Amino acid sequence: MNKWDSRMIGMANLVATWSKDPSTGVGAVITDQKNRVVSMGFNGFPRAVLDDDEKLMDRDERLRRTIHAEDNALLFARQDVTGCTIYVTHPPCARCAAKIIQAGIARVVAAQPQQDFAARWADDMRSAGEMFTEAGVAFNFLGNQ
Ligand SMILES: [Zn+2]
């Protein structure tokens, strides 16, 4: 197993704990080719938008307002992320995969999802996987490469 892959997924796991999402905390870390951290993100509402329990516990409202971890990491990057790697605690959804590709990320590493997550996000994982393949973005689960 790639030592840095394991370290950066560990960091993404830490960042995921900062999420207030009552369902799933997701963390993402973007690194450059020298394993330097370029950006990080976790899933949550936009800055200054009230994320009180009432809004967080309303599933539909939460889903409409939440920025995904990968999206936040891309938004917070202060440099071009072309050629960078993104590490995510969960496999990216199709919308995030599209943005990851468009931003020029070269490689995606995700932790192996739990079975219930994989079942819930099966369509997204399939679409994301197809797009990564077509776009030439390397995708692998931690430990499988
Ligand atoms: Zn997403």
Side-chain angles (χ1 to χ4, degrees), residues 75-134:
L75 286 166
F76 285 127
R78 286 288 175 258
Q79 66 181 70
D80 187 356
V81 295
T82 301
C84 286
T85 297
I86 188 164
Y87 295 91
V88 199
T89 57
H90 297 69
C93 73
R95 296 311 310 150
C96 287
K99 291 175 185 176
I100 286 166
I101 292 165
Q102 205 73 334
I105 296 276
R107 182 166 175 257
V108 181
V109 180
Q112 287 279 4
Q114 302 285 330
Q115 269 184 355
D116 61 326
F117 182 94
R120 260 188 298 138
W121 290 88
D123 287 344
D124 269 84
M125 286 172 61
R126 179 189 44 73
S127 295
E130 284 173 9
M131 288 192 286
F132 286 144
T133 301
E134 289 165 16

Side-chain angles (χ1 to χ4, degrees), residues 30-59:
I30 298 175
T31 63
D32 67 13
Q33 282 98 331
K34 292 183 173 166
N35 299 311
R36 290 177 300 210
V37 174
V38 166
S39 189
M40 299 186 292
F42 55 88
N43 54 323
F45 291 0
R47 76 176 89 200
V49 170
L50 200 60
D51 54 358
D52 57 15
D53 283 350
E54 189 191 326
K55 290 284 189 327
L56 283 169
M57 297 313 289
D58 179 338
R59 184 173 181 277

Side-chain angles (χ1 to χ4, degrees), residues 8 23 43 61 100 110-111 115-116 140 142:
M8 294 304 176
S23 168
N43 54 323
E61 192 63 40
I100 286 166
Q115 269 184 355
D116 61 326
N140 62 269
L142 182 65

